[in-house]
Amino acid sequence: EKTWFDMPCDATHVSVSESVSSLSTNDFSIPWETWRNEFAGIEMTYETYERLNSEFKRRNNIRHKMLSYFTTQSWKTAQQHLRTINHQSQDSRIKKLDKFQFIIIEELENFEKDSQSLKDLEKEFVDFWEKIFQKFSAYQKSEQQRLHLLKTSLAKSVFCNTDNEETVFTSEMCLMKEDMKVLQDRLLKDMLEEELLNVRRELMSVFM
């Protein structure tokens, strides 16, 4: 969409120049019949009319030239300012477009950096969880080994085999019986010897 300062200036300049140049000096002359009708009370010869009319034409011609010059200079000045406005407007648009392009390129570069950072973060996250999983697996395996060792130790130390205990008990009871028998035999022997000694003493005391 074109603005008013984007329109070509030459066509407007031609139309203005033609409008000004089309005004002839004859358009400003007063006909003799009109002069006579309008100024009937004033006595004037045709020669005086011609002289006044020539002076009127000369002044109008000067004014016409001044107006034409002023119009031309005004249009040139306006055209120069319009070109300046157009140039500055285009420069401003180009600068804004360049700035917008720079922002887009910069944001694309930032987006690529952020994407790479996100990929690196994702890789670090995966590596981190792999390490956690490996450590957890090692801990779980160690815990299973520890539980197995505790169960085995508990079974061997606390809940021992009853057959083994029965064998030990039977063996110890047999040994205890044998020891008790030996003690009983020794006790009986000692008691018998003591009684025999007492009997001997009594007999000796009687017969002596």
Side-chain angles (χ1 to χ4, degrees):
E1 182 180 357
K2 293 184 178 180
T3 57
W4 61 273
F5 48 80
D6 291 330
M7 300 297 291
C9 301
D10 295 337
T12 309
H13 178 253
V14 171
S15 62
V16 173
S17 299
E18 289 178 353
S19 299
V20 174
S21 61
S22 62
L23 296 176
S24 174
T25 56
N26 295 325
D27 296 335
F28 297 99
S29 63
I30 302 175
W32 170 248
E33 291 78 7
T34 303
W35 185 278
R36 290 175 61 186
N37 293 329
E38 293 293 334
F39 304 99
I42 301 175
E43 293 183 0
M44 182 181 298
T45 62
Y46 187 77
E47 289 78 9
T48 304
Y49 160 74
E50 287 290 339
R51 187 176 67 255
L52 291 175
N53 198 23
S54 297
E55 182 65 20
F56 181 72
K57 288 180 179 180
R58 186 182 67 81
R59 291 183 179 182
N60 282 331
N61 189 20
I62 293 173
R63 291 177 182 177
H64 172 72
K65 290 180 179 180
M66 292 176 62
L67 180 62
S68 178
Y69 176 78
F70 174 77
T71 303
T72 303
Q73 294 299 321
S74 298
W75 174 246
K76 288 181 179 180
T77 303
Q79 189 178 23
Q80 182 179 1
H81 285 288
L82 288 174
R83 288 176 180 173
T84 303
I85 292 173
N86 188 18
H87 180 70
Q88 291 180 355
S89 177
Q90 290 180 355
D91 288 343
S92 177
R93 292 176 182 177
I94 292 173
K95 289 180 181 179
K96 289 180 180 179
L97 289 175
D98 291 340
K99 184 177 180 180
F100 178 69
Q101 184 180 6
F102 176 77
I103 292 174
I104 290 178
I105 294 174
E106 186 177 9
E107 290 302 322
L108 286 175
E109 292 177 354
N110 293 332
F111 176 74
E112 291 178 357
K113 292 179 181 178
D114 293 339
S115 299
Q116 186 63 37
S117 299
L118 184 61
K119 290 180 181 179
D120 295 339
L121 180 62
E122 183 179 0
K123 185 177 182 301
E124 291 177 0
F125 184 77
V126 172
D127 295 339
F128 171 76
W129 277 109
E130 286 181 354
K131 291 180 180 178
I132 292 295
F133 180 75
Q134 291 176 358
K135 290 183 178 180
F136 180 75
S137 298
Y139 169 78
Q140 190 176 14
K141 184 177 180 180
S142 177
E143 189 69 17
Q144 290 176 354
Q145 292 177 354
R146 186 181 299 107
L147 289 175
H148 178 71
L149 180 61
L150 289 174
K151 288 180 180 180
T152 304
S153 300
L154 182 64
K156 290 181 179 179
S157 301
V158 180
F159 303 105
C160 57
N161 193 352
T162 56
D163 295 336
N164 187 21
E165 290 182 355
E166 185 176 357
T167 302
V168 172
F169 179 76
T170 303
S171 176
E172 290 298 324
M173 288 300 294
C174 292
L175 292 174
M176 186 179 67
K177 287 180 180 180
E178 291 177 358
D179 292 338
M180 291 297 293
K181 187 175 183 305
V182 171
L183 289 174
Q184 287 178 0
D185 292 342
R186 183 179 297 174
L187 179 61
L188 290 174
K189 183 179 179 181
D190 291 339
M191 290 177 64
L192 181 60
E193 289 179 355
E194 183 69 25
E195 288 296 327
L196 289 175
L197 182 60
N198 290 330
V199 171
R200 183 180 294 176
R201 286 176 181 175
E202 289 179 359
L203 289 175
M204 288 180 64
S205 63
V206 171
F207 292 103
M208 294 297 292

